[in-house]
Amino acid sequence: MAETRFVALTIVAVALLLALSRLTKIPPSIALFTGGLASILLPGPLPALRVDPLIVLGLILPPLLYAGITNIPAELLHRAAWRGVLGGALWTLGLTTACGFAATLLLPGLDPVACMAIGVAAAIAEPRVLLETGLNKRMPPAISEAMSAQLVSAPLLGVSLSIFTAKQVGGPFPGFTAIAQTLAYDAIIGGAAGIALGFAMAALRRRLDNPRTETALSLATPFAAGALGEAIAASPVAPLIGAGVTMAYIHTNKTTGESIASPESHQLTEDLWQALGAILTGALFFLMGRALPEALAGTRALPWTTLATAAISLMALCWAVQFTLSWAALAHPNSPPIPREDGGRVPPWQGAALMAGGAGRNVVALAVALALPATLPGGEPYLPRDAVVAVVALMVVASAGLQWVGVPGLVRWVRPVPHNQP
């Protein structure tokens, strides 16, 4: 089968599986991954799944991340910007370090760079299943806002680390000094460039009165940010996040109430991003389902039981780290209290359990795994890639399944005042 036809059929499969999940009430992420896994049973040869990292990092991730950031309400950015950014940074760096080190113990023989890639993928989390099932409406505002605000810094650090990791494939562990310098340059220089791009795009859109043109500019912004990041030798995600936060923050003039976009443009753009996000997210889950059997077959030195055990252990470690960091944040004197339905307050440790359980492994983690190069600089195959893909795929799907099954009971146990109640 030609690769172009395979891509076309993938889009068709994603659309049908999204419709099936709507009819059966199964979370889309579970339905899409299962569909991708089942596609290996189709008759006829299918092309080997070796996704070009440039396609994942340059074509799939920019619109996905930009859509998520620009959908964050401006009021939330005003209330919880710095707390969310700092929390997301500590969350991501803590998980990356803990899971990367644990991977070296759980997967003996895997090179340090591959273990670092697993740690990066494990650290990128979001409440996707909560949104898919509507459980986010039953979460208390303090927790749901913290999760949303973390979407600013967590992808920036995670994707920057993943790009840095991909460049180290085949070499020794780069060291923490080199990692810190890369993250600082991406966050400061790349973020500043993105902020400037966001203001420029906002100024241009204010001068227009054409919904189609405004929507085209909105669609072009994440790709322009990626090109800008490449031009200044920074992560393409840093300018993207800077531009997205700027657009969300200044979307409406607080003095005049005037928006940078017309109501028609706003509705058209919102519909476009939602549809595009659903298709791209679905494609990643479907492709990961397709890639898992191939990855398991390619990990010759590591049996699937070892990979599954590593995925489960890393999931437990993620929950422990998330619980610890969330408990510390919620127990801080400046943290807003979480009211309980019976009139009391939710203890910080119970709120931390709910926050840790609600943060599942992110679809961006799938992109991080698929973006690892399949070959070394000399052209030889990079064998540890299959182990990384297998472990990350198992973690993402296990996380989605556990959230789908376990979070409703967790909410009933904690009994917080839902988000839609005063």
Side-chain angles (χ1 to χ4, degrees):
M1 181 186 294
E3 291 187 0
T4 52
R5 188 179 178 191
F6 176 66
V7 172
L9 291 178
T10 297
I11 295 174
V12 173
V14 166
L16 292 176
L17 289 168
L18 286 173
L20 177 65
S21 71
R22 172 71 67 174
L23 294 173
T24 59
K25 307 302 182 183
I26 298 174
S29 52
I30 300 293
L32 288 159
F33 181 86
T34 305
L37 196 62
S39 70
I40 64 173
L41 303 176
L42 294 175
L46 293 174
L49 185 59
R50 295 296 184 190
V51 181
D52 187 341
L54 294 178
I55 294 177
V56 175
L57 297 175
L59 191 62
I60 295 179
L61 274 185
L64 269 178
L65 294 177
Y66 188 77
I69 293 169
T70 53
N71 284 333
I72 299 176
E75 296 79 8
L76 172 59
L77 290 175
H78 281 281
R79 287 197 307 269
W82 288 111
R83 186 174 69 247
V85 169
L86 180 60
L90 293 175
W91 183 298
T92 304
L93 294 176
L95 281 175
T96 298
T97 303
C99 292
F101 179 74
T104 63
L105 303 177
L106 295 167
L107 300 168
L110 206 63
D111 70 84
V113 174
C115 293
M116 180 179 172
I118 292 176
V120 171
I124 305 175
E126 71 172 0
R128 173 163 298 278
V129 173
L130 301 183
L131 297 173
E132 292 177 347
T133 59
L135 286 172
N136 62 307
K137 298 177 181 177
R138 299 174 60 184
M139 301 287 279
I143 291 179
S144 61
E145 288 183 358
M147 288 181 173
S148 297
Q150 287 170 2
L151 293 178
V152 175
S153 56
L156 167 60
L157 295 177
V159 177
S160 293
L161 281 171
S162 72
I163 295 173
F164 181 78
T165 303
K167 293 178 180 178
Q168 310 304 314
V169 163
F173 183 74
F176 292 106
T177 301
I179 294 173
Q181 290 174 345
T182 299
L183 291 179
Y185 183 84
D186 286 346
I188 298 172
I189 305 301
I195 292 172
L197 176 63
F199 276 109
M201 284 293 185
L204 181 58
R205 291 181 63 180
R206 282 196 182 100
R207 298 175 64 88
L208 299 172
D209 189 19
N210 186 293
R212 289 193 181 95
T213 305
E214 292 179 56
T215 302
L217 281 174
S218 177
L219 183 60
T221 300
F223 298 105
L228 179 60
E230 185 177 354
I232 61 175
S235 163
V237 177
L240 183 151
I241 292 178
V245 170
T246 301
M247 294 292 287
Y249 198 83
I250 65 172
H251 186 273
T252 302
N253 189 306
K254 302 300 181 296
T255 304
T256 65
E258 180 184 359
S259 175
I260 65 173
S262 63
E264 296 83 359
S265 172
H266 179 72
Q267 186 63 51
L268 185 60
T269 303
E270 183 178 359
D271 292 343
L272 172 66
W273 282 120
Q274 287 182 354
L276 190 60
I279 291 174
L280 293 176
T281 300
L284 281 176
F285 273 104
F286 184 85
L287 290 175
M288 185 58 81
R290 279 274 309 139
L292 181 57
E294 181 184 347
L296 290 174
T299 54
R300 303 174 183 86
L302 296 171
W304 71 268
T305 51
T306 301
L307 297 173
T309 301
I312 294 172
S313 301
L314 288 172
M315 281 293 302
L317 178 61
C318 284
W319 189 90
V321 174
Q322 291 169 175
F323 173 79
T324 302
L325 294 176
S326 300
W327 191 356
L330 294 176
H332 192 276
N334 294 332
S335 179
I338 303 174
R340 194 192 290 270
E341 288 182 338
D342 59 9
R345 293 183 177 181
V346 175
W349 68 272
Q350 280 192 322
L354 186 57
M355 192 168 179
R361 309 281 59 79
N362 195 307
V363 66
V364 178
L366 304 180
V368 167
L370 290 175
L372 275 180
T375 58
L376 297 172
E380 304 88 356
Y382 181 56
L383 299 179
R385 178 186 187 273
D386 288 324
V388 175
V389 170
V391 170
V392 172
L394 292 171
M395 287 183 66
V396 171
V397 175
S399 174
L402 288 173
Q403 279 191 305
W404 185 32
V405 174
V407 172
L410 197 59
V411 172
R412 288 193 296 270
W413 172 62
V414 177
R415 291 182 294 129
V417 174
H419 188 75
N420 56 355
Q421 291 185 15

